[in-house]
Amino acid sequence: MNPITKDFTPTIAIVYHSSYGHTRRVAHAIARGANAQLDAKALDILQLSDDDWAYLDNADLIVFGSAVYMGSVTAAFKAFMDSTSKRWVARTWQGKFAAGFANSGGLSGDKLAVLQQITLFAMQHGMNWVGMPLMPTGSSEQDLNRLSSFLGLMTQSIDAPVEETPCEGDMATALWFGEHLAQTVLRFVGNR
Ligand SMILES: Cc1cc2nc3c(=O)[nH]c(=O)nc-3n(C[C@H](O)[C@H](O)[C@H](O)COP(=O)(O)O)c2cc1C
């Protein structure tokens, strides 16, 4: 959508796949961070309604997030990627901003491979990638960007209930990422 002709509040869609809820929690934290400044919604790829697809198509920025399965996005997330091929042909998302996050059990867990997969997907759609510029404050569970990721957001969820993991630092980083993405949209798209 041409930002010049856009006549409503800028929006960010966070579209994610989560089997056990940890990645969902991160998606909602990004939305909370962004919602302080504009309209943001976290959307589960397994429950996308026509309205949700319209929200995605109208969004100024789409954040793609997946749990890591076998060093890759999950099969469900890949099915979502493939389901966008008509939009790829029509260039529906071209010119929008894009960002990504990966959540997994391991400290590394090959999250970088997932962020690279998501970046390439966004590039195929002609989107403009927004990375993660936050300098790590350290590597403890209270620290921001403790996993030292710059391509996108990385969070770790160990084998524990959703209320306990990802850790405090990772959740604060997700909130920060949402705020940063909202500021980026407002800087380049404006607040109409
Ligand atoms: C089939 C399968 C494959 C997985 N592969 C990886 C992996 O490659 N790297 C990793 O760190 N964690 C891996 N995990 C762990 C998940 O990433 C982790 O449990 C994560 O919390 C799942 O997110 P969710 O709660 O949102 O579903 C795997 C889990 C499953 C079930």
Side-chain angles (χ1 to χ4, degrees):
M1 173 158 305
N2 180 347
I4 306 296
T5 59
K6 193 164 178 178
D7 59 356
F8 49 83
T9 309
T11 58
I12 293 181
I14 300 121
V15 65
Y16 67 90
H17 178 237
S18 173
S19 294
Y20 301 104
H22 301 91
T23 311
R24 176 178 303 112
R25 188 170 168 230
V26 177
H28 282 273
I30 297 170
R32 264 200 315 285
N35 259 323
Q37 301 172 71
L38 43 66
D39 187 53
K41 245 188 219 175
L43 306 170
D44 183 338
I45 54 154
L46 297 182
Q47 295 175 31
L48 288 176
S49 65
D50 289 349
D51 282 353
D52 292 337
W53 278 107
Y55 192 87
L56 276 171
D57 291 342
N58 283 317
D60 296 287
L61 186 154
I62 303 178
V63 188
F64 303 100
S66 179
V68 183
Y69 277 13
M70 310 309 294
S72 164
V73 294
T74 63
F77 196 88
K78 183 63 168 74
F80 160 78
M81 288 165 70
D82 294 354
S83 77
T84 65
S85 65
K86 287 204 175 91
R87 286 169 167 81
W88 176 84
V89 172
R91 310 313 289 158
T92 310
W93 293 351
Q94 186 160 313
K96 291 182 188 300
F97 288 113
F101 70 100
N103 176 72
S104 86
L107 197 54
S108 157
D110 290 325
K111 286 186 260 281
L112 180 60
V114 163
L115 286 179
Q116 288 170 331
Q117 209 176 353
I118 291 173
T119 311
L120 194 52
F121 169 68
M123 294 303 102
Q124 286 235 354
H125 275 285
M127 302 172 86
N128 298 304
W129 191 256
V130 183
M132 161 59 107
L134 178 61
M135 286 298 285
T137 59
S139 54
S140 83
E141 294 201 342
Q142 283 72 44
D143 277 307
L144 292 172
N145 198 10
R146 73 186 175 107
L147 300 177
S148 298
S149 175
F150 293 96
L151 188 57
L153 171 68
M154 288 185 185
T155 55
Q156 180 196 23
S157 53
I158 57 169
D159 192 11
V162 172
E163 302 73 39
E164 294 169 21
T165 183
C167 64
E168 188 188 325
D170 288 1
M171 294 309 296
T173 306
L175 207 64
W176 187 96
F177 192 51
E179 287 168 4
H180 169 69
L181 296 177
Q183 278 161 14
T184 303
V185 166
L186 292 175
R187 186 175 311 131
F188 290 99
V189 177
N191 195 356
R192 292 168 228 288

